Amino acid sequence: MTTTREMEFPDPAARTAAAAAGTAPPPEPEDLPAEKMVLNMGPSHPSTHGVLRIVLELDGEVITRAVPEVGYLHRGDEKIAENLTWTQFIPYTDRLDYLAPLANNVAYVLAVEKLLGIQDRLPPRCQYIRVICCELARISSHLLGLGAFAMDVGAMTVFLLTFTEREKIYNLCEALTGARFTTSYTRIGGLARDLPPGWTDQCRRFAREVLPAINEVEALLTRNRIWVDRTRDLGVIPKADAIAYALTGPNLRGSGVDYDVRKAHPYLVYDRLRFDVPVGTVGDCYDRYLVRMEEMRQSVRIIHQCLDQLPGGPVNVDDGKIVLPSKDKVLTHMEELIHQFMLVTQGVNAPPGEVYFGAENPKGELGFYLHSRGGGVPYRLKIRAPSFVNLAILGRLLPGHLISDVVAILGSLDFVMGECDR
């Protein structure tokens, strides 16, 4: 057996001279055709970020076909909604994109309020608090998404930095809602409760502290040679394809499409706030990373404006048939007691009709289609989950890439299976 020490490795100059003299070794034979291999990636795979299964057809290490398979986490939320009152479904929205439960609550409740026709009656304080909650959820979701994306590619330090900042957001959620993860804070017609004492100061402190952490993450990644090589010109989604596949959120804006629901169809008080919409140019993994980094900075900018402009006043509409009356009135007035009994047992009496409302969630446009035939229970509820729609492009996007690139591409799309398998 020939050992490594006995093998001779001619230097490049000697090989060049041999080739010029016509004594170069004969070229290696071409690769023989081989059968393609089918590989199941997931559903139990760390980089699929949940229970996504992708059936990959491989020619060597090159992907020739990819079919995403979803449904391993299916819970039937839309069907469950048909047997719950409008208010009882709020906790189920926490479990959709469970990385941004506050934003899910707001999107669903705004859809119900549109059905009830009370969207213009919301108190200003309620609207500003809801915007703060949505932007905190956006920062929290992007921190986890970028941290996991970086860890998939090999940058462990970034994951630790982003999770440290995300824990501060959970502290704010706990002080505000009593829960860290599944908040269920928003209510039809307002909020479960007003801000606790000192919460605005805590929020301001976080908004100041998170920016240096974002800058540190950018210093570690943006010009890092390994990160750039693993993300730039990889997983390119042309603008036309992004539109054709109905992508939304950072995945759409990373391809150069300047579309943000908060700007195109303003809701709450977004039309009173100043913020920019970051847009990419190439549409690769690197652009999607840059868009999310800048979105976090813009969210901090929005939070500062909301805290500066936060008005006083109530946080719920003044309507006993929509919002639960205060406990002291329930115990002393018959009318309020009747309202509470009706709301708890039968739900808000919604008029017949159909509405759709879409909000700009961290993953893209989260939309709710509601069909009411009157009464306190929806006849039909359909969820437009951005992660589910965004994953449809995998069959178009993955072929032609190496199997090692799948991890980076999935991380750049930043999906969560909780809202895919709803």
Side-chain angles (χ1 to χ4, degrees), residues 8 24 26-27 34 43 55 97 112 127 135 141 143 161-162 169 204 224 272 282 290 295 338 369 415:
E8 295 183 2
V55 182
D97 178 3
V112 179
Q127 297 188 51
E135 297 311 314
S141 178
L143 285 173
L161 283 172
T162 57
I169 297 179
R204 285 184 190 275
N224 184 298
R272 308 178 199 173
V282 178
L290 292 176
E295 278 193 5
I338 294 173
Y369 161 76
F415 55 90

Side-chain angles (χ1 to χ4, degrees), residues 213-281:
I214 295 173
N215 294 336
E216 188 172 358
V217 170
E218 190 170 43
L220 287 170
L221 291 181
T222 303
R223 296 185 181 276
N224 184 298
R225 180 59 184 271
I226 299 174
W227 176 260
V228 172
D229 288 346
R230 289 297 305 273
T231 58
R232 182 169 288 178
D233 298 326
L234 183 74
V236 176
I237 304 176
K239 181 185 295 188
D241 286 352
I243 296 173
Y245 279 85
L247 301 187
T248 53
N251 295 324
L252 175 68
R253 293 187 285 273
S255 296
V257 181
D258 186 3
Y259 178 79
D260 189 305
V261 179
R262 297 170 296 174
K263 290 281 191 180
H265 308 285
Y267 53 95
L268 296 175
V269 293
Y270 279 111
D271 56 343
R272 308 178 199 173
L273 304 172
R274 299 185 305 276
F275 63 97
D276 300 320
V277 178
V279 176
T281 54

